[in-house]
Amino acid sequence: TANFWTAEDIIPLNNEYGVVQSAPDFLAFGDNMGEEMLAFDKRQGAVSGVYIFTWDDPSEEDALLVADSFEDLIKTIKNANEE
């Protein structure tokens, strides 16, 4: 399950959760309603995969690729909800 943040919340939440300081090449845009944030790698531009990292330590080194694209993430979520 994913919780996508509103456009108005993305920048403030990236600041609040330390993404800007600890993982400046990433832009968090949501969470998995658990212990991890969803983020794009800004260095990859519009073709970025989707990554996760933890709330308490949003480091670039620990970012884990979970989908090759936003579209793939949506497909994975849709398939999981249909099961």
Side-chain angles (χ1 to χ4, degrees):
T1 304
N3 174 45
F4 299 113
W5 301 340
T6 65
E8 296 83 19
D9 289 340
I10 289 175
I11 299 302
L13 290 175
N14 273 264
N15 287 317
E16 181 178 335
Y17 297 131
V19 177
V20 173
Q21 297 79 14
S22 300
D25 289 325
F26 285 81
L27 178 69
F29 62 88
D31 58 75
N32 65 356
M33 299 178 69
E35 298 180 5
E36 299 160 323
M37 286 182 270
L38 301 165
F40 294 118
D41 184 339
K42 297 187 290 188
R43 297 169 293 190
Q44 295 176 7
V47 296
S48 176
V50 177
Y51 295 79
I52 58 170
F53 42 73
T54 61
W55 294 102
D56 61 339
D57 185 22
S59 70
E60 294 183 1
E61 295 79 29
D62 295 330
L64 176 67
L65 180 67
V66 294
D68 290 329
S69 67
F70 187 74
E71 182 178 357
D72 286 346
L73 176 68
I74 298 301
K75 287 177 186 176
T76 300
I77 293 168
K78 182 179 177 186
N79 290 338
N81 288 336
E82 290 176 353
E83 294 178 356

